Amino acid sequence: MKIAILSPWTVKPTSIGGTERFVIDLAESFINTNNEVDVYMLSGDSYIKNKVHYISMNLFKDIKDIDEYFLKSQFNHFNEEQSFENLAKKIENKMSFDKYDLIQLNSQLFLKVAEEKTRIFTIHTNPFEYKLDWEEVSFKTMLELMYKESMLENTYFVTPSKYYANLYNNLSNTNIHFIPHAIDVNRIISDNTRNQILDKMNIDQDKKIILLPSRLEPIQKQPMLF
């Protein structure tokens, strides 16, 4: 199959975590099962790695690093369905989905993109985080649009958590599939033992340890709230 993956974030060769790493692992898994894969990014540099084509759409000509916050400012906070349609038109003016058998999308902001194709949406943002970033009106608009788009043939929604699959199912009255993220554990194996790591970090080995793997980004990741 020919597969297109659409990422709202720039995926770099040096990306080590988050949704960017999920996109890399997914794309390479598709390649390893004899598919062709193009990853489309809204901004960044185009390159080829491990037979995956990473293609920058350069969606806004003079903006090198586009993220969800920038899109929010350009499309009226996504408070209405028209905002989703406007983003979809801008993306579809930059690329054609006609040659692809499957489109995998990594943001609910893409709900109006490639509506005539077989689409799988992977939901990465939990409801609390979505409302924190986009506020209640936008969240409600997105849920209503999820329901409408789920009526289209060959449109599917996936979460990596059974809990959030059930939660989004109830909130949007939409069938959500649960598929956990798979990771290559060889990438996170350490030569050091647990005790050696705790000693190095000066952590009391008798205490309970809570690990919050995240970038230190106060607005979206909210480490102080944690």
Side-chain angles (χ1 to χ4, degrees), residues 157-194:
F157 294 92
V158 170
T159 68
S161 156
K162 186 178 292 185
Y163 172 81
Y164 284 118
N166 292 332
L167 187 58
Y168 268 111
N169 193 334
N170 293 332
L171 287 170
S172 65
N173 196 26
T174 301
N175 186 29
I176 311 291
H177 301 273
F178 160 55
I179 302 177
H181 288 344
I183 62 170
D184 180 1
V185 294
N186 290 321
R187 287 196 283 105
I188 57 175
I189 289 174
S190 173
D191 292 331
N192 297 318
T193 66
R194 177 181 183 275

Side-chain angles (χ1 to χ4, degrees), residues 80-102:
E80 55 188 10
E81 186 174 330
Q82 187 63 50
S83 298
F84 293 84
E85 292 178 359
N86 291 342
L87 175 59
K89 288 176 184 175
K90 192 166 184 67
I91 289 172
E92 290 169 359
N93 283 337
K94 286 281 187 176
M95 62 170 292
S96 172
F97 291 101
D98 291 342
K99 63 181 178 180
Y100 296 105
D101 303 298
L102 172 67

Side-chain angles (χ1 to χ4, degrees), residues 20-205:
E20 297 91 333
R21 187 69 237 185
F22 165 78
V23 167
I24 293 170
D25 287 351
L26 180 65
E28 292 184 3
S29 295
F30 283 141
I31 288 290
N32 292 336
T33 50
N34 298 318
N35 298 287
E36 295 181 42
V37 184
D38 294 331
V39 173
Y40 288 92
M41 310 172 293
L42 304 186
S43 61
D45 296 320
S46 300
Y47 62 98
I48 301 173
K49 185 177 180 181
N50 295 333
K51 299 182 181 179
V52 179
H53 291 76
Y54 296 89
I55 303 166
S56 174
M57 286 188 283
N58 194 19
L59 198 63
F60 291 84
K61 188 175 180 181
D62 299 321
I63 307 298
K64 291 185 178 180
D65 289 307
I66 296 173
D67 56 21
E68 288 177 302
Y69 300 114
F70 177 79
L71 294 178
K72 185 177 180 180
S73 68
Q74 296 294 310
F75 295 97
N76 192 34
H77 290 222
F78 291 89
N79 284 341
E80 55 188 10
E81 186 174 330
Q82 187 63 50
S83 298
F84 293 84
E85 292 178 359
N86 291 342
L87 175 59
K89 288 176 184 175
K90 192 166 184 67
I91 289 172
E92 290 169 359
N93 283 337
K94 286 281 187 176
M95 62 170 292
S96 172
F97 291 101
D98 291 342
K99 63 181 178 180
Y100 296 105
D101 303 298
L102 172 67
I103 317 294
Q104 191 271 339
L105 306 105
N106 289 285
S107 174
Q108 288 117 300
L109 302 183
F110 298 148
L111 280 168
K112 298 295 290 185
V113 174
E115 290 179 301
E116 297 179 358
K117 302 296 293 185
T118 298
R119 307 183 298 170
I120 297 177
F121 288 88
T122 301
I123 299 175
H124 297 279
T125 306
N126 65 64
F128 170 79
E129 186 181 8
Y130 199 105
K131 284 186 279 189
L132 189 69
D133 286 344
W134 304 89
E135 302 177 356
E136 287 283 352
V137 174
S138 178
F139 184 64
K140 185 172 181 288
T141 301
M142 182 275 295
L143 291 176
E144 292 171 352
L145 191 53
M146 271 185 68
Y147 174 74
K148 287 176 63 176
E149 295 298 306
S150 72
M151 297 295 105
L152 296 175
E153 187 177 9
N154 297 329
T155 290
Y156 306 92
F157 294 92
V158 170
T159 68
S161 156
K162 186 178 292 185
Y163 172 81
Y164 284 118
N166 292 332
L167 187 58
Y168 268 111
N169 193 334
N170 293 332
L171 287 170
S172 65
N173 196 26
T174 301
N175 186 29
I176 311 291
H177 301 273
F178 160 55
I179 302 177
H181 288 344
I183 62 170
D184 180 1
V185 294
N186 290 321
R187 287 196 283 105
I188 57 175
I189 289 174
S190 173
D191 292 331
N192 297 318
T193 66
R194 177 181 183 275
N195 289 344
Q196 287 173 326
I197 294 171
L198 295 179
D199 284 340
K200 183 177 180 180
M201 301 182 72
N202 196 28
I203 295 175
D204 188 337
Q205 297 184 15

